[in-house]
Amino acid sequence: MSGSTEGAGQVLLVGSSGGHLAQLLALEPWYRNRHRAWVTFDTPDARSLLDGEDVVWAYHPTTRNVKNLVRNAFLAFQVMRRRRVDAVVTTGAGVALPFVVAARLRRIPTVYIEVYDRIDSATLTARLCRPFLSAMLVQWEEQRRMYPEATVVGNLL
């Protein structure tokens, strides 16, 4: 784990590799001038896309893997304790829950952006994270059927 705990706080961008990471990367105009760190899986695509960035590698797989859920929970609390995190922004999936919970317990704002390809049903991760969120964002007006409190931000990709 690289990065400093000194100076300005950082935005922690949390997402599984692949499409979840791609949607976070699409926020680049927003995070470009912010101190940031990433939490994702150590996969070839993530290594390539995040080359030169401050990255915390999470444990995977996460789907139905209680051992890695626990490992990522410990990792989340360690990251929150060692870094000055001002906000957590996530697109899911499984890696998101421990970081959202750890942030919320430390009164750090948490933002979930529902993925663009789930229009007819809520994702499991969004449903699990929802009680711990400061804000819920969706990419389609139709997604507000599942998340009436959400703010529509439009498509990221």
Side-chain angles (χ1 to χ4, degrees):
M1 182 168 33
S2 62
S4 170
T5 59
E6 299 175 3
Q10 59 187 191
V11 175
L12 197 61
L13 297 151
V14 180
S16 301
S17 55
H20 293 277
L21 179 58
Q23 289 177 69
L24 284 173
L25 287 163
L27 297 172
E28 195 266 341
W30 175 78
Y31 67 69
R32 177 182 309 135
N33 297 320
R34 288 181 165 82
H35 187 57
R36 64 191 173 273
W38 299 81
V39 176
T40 192
F41 303 139
D42 190 356
T43 60
D45 67 315
R47 280 203 174 269
S48 173
L49 292 167
L50 297 175
D51 185 42
E53 292 283 328
D54 182 5
V55 182
V56 175
W57 301 114
Y59 299 95
H60 68 98
T62 55
T63 305
R64 293 181 177 83
N65 190 314
V66 175
K67 178 182 175 185
N68 283 342
L69 174 64
V70 171
R71 292 168 79 188
N72 283 328
F74 279 110
L75 180 64
F77 282 100
Q78 180 183 45
V79 167
M80 296 302 161
R81 188 176 62 253
R82 291 186 178 172
R83 294 171 178 253
R84 188 169 149 218
V85 176
D86 288 337
V88 171
V89 177
T90 184
T91 53
V95 69
L97 182 62
F99 285 88
V100 166
V101 171
R104 190 60 176 198
L105 290 174
R106 295 181 66 93
R107 296 192 169 109
I108 297 169
T110 54
V111 178
Y112 194 100
I113 305 169
E114 183 63 292
V115 292
Y116 73 94
D117 57 344
R118 288 299 290 268
I119 298 171
D120 296 326
S121 62
T123 59
L124 175 60
T125 306
R127 291 192 317 250
L128 293 171
C129 288
R130 206 166 169 190
F132 306 99
L133 297 176
S134 304
M136 179 72 182
L137 308 179
V138 293
Q139 298 182 53
W140 300 96
E141 183 63 40
E142 293 85 351
Q143 291 173 311
R144 293 194 67 234
R145 285 192 311 268
M146 286 84 65
Y147 314 106
E149 77 284 6
T151 299
V152 179
V153 295
N155 296 348
L156 297 180
L157 297 177

